Amino acid sequence: MKTFRRLVETLLGAFCVALIVTLTALVLVAVAYRQLGASLTWYDEVATVLLAWLTYYGAAFAMLKRGHLGSPELLMRLPIAPRRVLFVVSEALVIGFFAVVAWTGAEVVVLLKGDGLISLPWVSVQVTQSVMPLGAAMFILCQLLSVRDEWAVIRLGGNVVKESV
Amino acid sequence: MATLLILLGLIALVLLNVPIAAAIGIVALAGTVALHGTENLLNVAITMYEGTRSFPLLAVPLFILAGGIMNAGGISRRLIEFAAALFGSFRGGLAMVDIGVSMFFAEISGSAVADVAATGGIMIPAMKKKGYPAEFAAATTSSSASLAIIIPPSIPMILYGTLAGASIVQLFVAGIVPGLIGGFGLMAVAYGFARRYGFAAGEAFRLARLWQAFKAAAWAFLLPIIILGGIFGGVVTATEGAGLAVLAALFVSGVIYREIDWRFLYRCALEGVVQTAVVMLLIATSALLGVLLTETRVPQQLAAAVTSLTTDKTLVLALLNVLFFVLGFVLHSAAAIILVVPIVLPIVNAIGLDLVHFGIIVTLNLAIGQQTPPVASVLIVTCSIARTDIWATTRWNIPYIGVLIGVLLMVTYVPSTCMALVEFFYR
């Protein structure tokens, strides 16, 4: 299981870094083209699709690291038995929510068959929107892969540092 | 009734340690099912997807990445050396250096956490070595790091501008004066601490050392000129300015200083991915909640309730400040801005407040919220670097928080503090 987790962490991390690097490069190329008087018509649409991909695949990676903002303070103060029950409830609620996102995302992808991006009609919207079912499924996978470690932190009542901007 | 149910649901889920982004999504989903049954469920995926596809928000990952490159490429270190040569000879000079570097770093990065990452690892051990109490070092680093979201560029201002439909460039300009007042106010407090507790001064001031440090950091000084000059001059948008920040940081670190640590940079990029995704997922699920709020007319009802009590601008602003101040204790800054701004906007419009002015008020409240535990993201990150207790550090931090509150009150009740430059350049 640890090997599989490391594999997911490495591959998903590399993919997310590739996304952020591509996004940066695209913004810079677009600025250069605009300054040269030849704006790229597809830039806005493609860049925001990349941002959506970065959001959902990045959110899955952040879940693997348990980096999402939360407030474990109350849970950690409870006796161990109710703490365990509420931890399971909390994890199940999150899985349930992302299961709905994955399911509705998959339904939407099916409905979008034949549609393309406005500025690049040959790029299928099914591909760009696939991030919803795939990203949500990846989120659930990453949650399951990190649940043991998270329970260890909650059980021991350790200090959890969550970073925000 | 709907307001109460949404609020109670959110509080219950957050107390259960459900990630805030998921908690917002679950409440929104439950509300949608309660209103429409399961027939509108397909909108969940569509709304969450479209919620993240906002062009101005592209600046968020780019500014975070720029901050990481500056840390990996020796820019932060050179800035610290320059500030040490300039302020180090004062009593308690290292605290001044810390605040000065944070003010400068704030002009390049838009994230307080990036600021802590840039300065904390170097400045906190240096202050401890000089005999400053570790809690004082942590409090100084933490409070000055929050200048990063007040002095432009600022990621919370980008979030606010996107949500409220306010000009991001005008928000950036409006943040300059409050940021500078805050920075010099923090320096005054640090000097007061140094005199009271007899903190040592650093090396004597030497012009030759200052010149050497200036030459070494000269390229770094060009970064804010390029980034902010480009944005304020209308050459690039805020988003493109963020891309420019990445390019400029890469050029200075890689070509001029030739000391990019690629492994460290990869880690910074990964950290940037996590920070971006955490904020963007909040935005995605809040888009779902936004639909529910619109359907249930919660913001409008809240605005009507408040304005039926009073339409006095002074009083309403006081109420909004108290609301944000209290929320700062229990909500992370990104969550606070994303959750609260859409709800209070009708109130702001009802009393005729300028959206840019309100944006600076919100940002200052968030800066204060980053310092007030138990939920105080910047303070907690700083304490983990300094290995200090959060509450002991907060005792030293109270006068610094007082400075930020003073700036907030000044901005709230003397709008020209932040609006004079905006009026002069843009209106």
Side-chain angles (χ1 to χ4, degrees):
Chain A
M1 187 61 93
K2 275 185 179 168
T3 313
F4 180 61
R5 184 195 155 137
R6 259 203 306 275
L7 183 70
V8 171
E9 187 174 338
T10 306
L11 293 178
L12 186 57
F15 182 62
C16 289
V17 169
L19 281 175
I20 202 170
V21 169
T22 309
L23 183 59
T24 309
L26 177 60
V27 171
L28 291 172
V29 168
V31 174
Y33 267 82
R34 191 163 60 78
Q35 294 297 330
L36 294 170
S39 298
L40 300 172
T41 50
W42 47 268
Y43 154 56
D44 292 24
E45 197 175 16
V46 173
T48 53
V49 166
L50 281 175
L51 183 61
W53 281 37
L54 183 62
T55 300
Y56 292 104
Y57 291 118
F61 185 78
M63 195 55 186
L64 198 58
K65 299 281 185 183
R66 292 284 167 161
H68 287 282
L69 301 177
S71 298
E73 291 81 6
L74 179 80
L75 201 60
M76 285 177 173
R77 290 207 175 103
L78 295 175
I80 198 75
R83 195 186 307 182
R84 187 195 305 266
V85 173
L86 291 179
F87 176 76
V88 172
V89 171
S90 151
E91 293 291 314
L93 281 170
V94 178
I95 288 176
F97 173 68
F98 279 94
V100 172
V101 176
W103 168 61
T104 57
E107 295 273 312
V108 170
V109 166
V110 172
L111 289 175
L112 289 171
K113 190 176 180 188
D115 288 354
L117 291 182
I118 295 166
S119 57
L120 297 173
W122 53 270
V123 177
S124 166
V125 177
Q126 282 191 311
V127 174
T128 57
Q129 289 249 6
S130 67
V131 67
M132 296 311 295
L134 293 180
M138 190 61 88
F139 191 99
I140 295 171
L141 174 68
C142 289
Q143 183 179 357
L144 293 172
L145 286 173
S146 57
V147 75
R148 270 175 78 105
D149 290 349
E150 179 68 358
W151 170 241
V153 172
I154 297 288
R155 185 169 52 87
L156 296 171
N159 193 14
V160 183
V161 176
K162 307 276 185 186
E163 295 183 5
S164 178
V165 291
Chain B
M1 187 61 181
T3 315
L4 194 66
L5 284 175
I6 290 170
L7 199 64
L8 285 178
L10 272 177
I11 293 171
L13 290 173
V14 169
L15 289 178
L16 260 180
N17 192 31
V18 172
I20 299 170
I24 295 170
I26 292 165
V27 167
L29 187 63
T32 306
V33 172
L35 281 179
H36 305 289
T38 52
E39 64 188 49
N40 272 17
L41 273 187
L42 284 191
N43 286 342
V44 169
I46 296 169
T47 308
M48 282 183 66
Y49 178 72
E50 291 302 329
T52 57
R53 290 192 55 205
S54 161
F55 188 76
L57 293 175
L58 285 170
V60 174
L62 300 181
F63 274 127
I64 290 173
L65 188 61
I69 295 167
M70 286 169 215
N71 285 344
I75 293 174
S76 313
R77 184 170 49 77
R78 284 175 175 82
L79 291 176
I80 289 171
E81 282 164 9
F82 174 76
L86 190 64
F87 300 117
S89 59
F90 288 100
R91 182 177 282 280
L94 279 182
M96 309 278 188
V97 171
D98 197 1
I99 298 164
V101 170
S102 288
M103 286 172 76
F104 191 87
F105 199 80
E107 292 161 25
I108 309 168
S109 152
S111 154
V113 171
D115 196 315
V116 171
T119 61
I122 301 171
M123 290 310 303
I124 291 172
M127 282 192 269
K128 281 158 88 171
K129 201 172 163 190
K130 265 284 184 203
Y132 298 9
E135 290 80 8
F136 167 74
T140 307
T141 303
S142 177
S143 50
S144 60
S146 280
L147 294 171
I149 66 167
I150 307 169
I151 295 173
S154 157
I155 290 172
M157 284 184 198
I158 295 167
L159 296 180
Y160 171 84
T162 309
L163 290 169
S167 159
I168 292 170
V169 174
Q170 288 184 23
L171 284 164
F172 282 2
V173 171
I176 294 173
V177 173
L180 292 177
I181 295 173
F184 290 118
L186 295 180
M187 280 189 178
V189 168
Y191 185 71
F193 270 130
R195 284 190 68 87
R196 183 169 174 190
Y197 294 101
F199 298 154
E203 282 182 44
F205 179 81
R206 284 187 299 113
L207 201 58
R209 183 186 170 211
L210 182 64
W211 176 240
Q212 284 297 325
F214 175 78
K215 278 199 297 186
W219 280 96
F221 291 135
L222 279 179
L223 291 175
I225 296 171
I226 295 169
I227 300 161
L228 294 182
I231 296 172
F232 294 159
V235 180
V236 290
T237 63
T239 303
E240 293 167 349
L244 209 58
V246 174
L247 185 69
L250 267 177
F251 178 76
V252 172
S253 303
V255 179
I256 306 293
Y257 295 154
R258 292 172 184 273
E259 58 176 88
I260 281 195
D261 177 341
W262 291 102
R263 287 168 71 92
F264 185 62
L265 184 59
Y266 185 81
R267 281 207 306 276
C268 287
L270 268 183
E271 190 55 45
V273 165
V274 170
Q275 285 184 33
T276 303
V278 165
V279 173
M280 291 299 299
L281 191 65
L282 273 166
I283 289 174
T285 53
S286 70
L288 267 188
L289 187 64
V291 173
L292 181 67
L293 291 176
T294 306
E295 287 181 348
T296 52
R297 296 182 54 78
V298 167
Q300 288 76 8
Q301 287 169 7
L302 194 69
V306 171
T307 49
S308 69
L309 290 174
T310 178
T311 49
D312 182 62
K313 205 183 259 190
T314 311
L315 203 58
V316 174
L317 278 173
L319 284 173
L320 288 172
N321 272 332
V322 169
L323 172 72
F324 273 106
F325 184 72
V326 172
L327 285 176
F329 286 89
V330 291
L331 270 184
H332 291 274
S333 57
I337 208 164
I338 291 162
L339 258 182
V340 182
V341 166
I343 295 175
V344 300
L345 266 186
I347 302 175
V348 173
N349 288 326
I351 60 166
L353 194 67
D354 189 288
L355 285 179
V356 173
H357 181 203
F358 184 60
I360 302 303
I361 292 173
V362 170
T363 306
L364 279 160
N365 271 298
L366 298 183
I368 295 163
Q370 289 177 335
Q371 307 299 325
T372 48
V375 180
S377 55
V378 178
L379 178 74
I380 292 171
V381 173
T382 313
C383 288
S384 73
I385 293 172
R387 298 185 189 287
T388 55
D389 176 71
I390 290 165
W391 297 102
T393 306
T394 298
R395 277 198 287 277
W396 287 90
N397 209 13
I398 287 170
Y400 290 132
I401 295 171
V403 168
L404 295 176
I405 292 174
V407 179
L408 170 66
L409 292 176
M410 195 186 293
V411 165
T412 304
Y413 295 113
V414 188
S416 58
T417 310
C418 64
M419 296 304 291
L421 283 178
V422 177
E423 296 285 347
F424 183 76
F425 286 112
Y426 296 101
R427 293 177 182 180

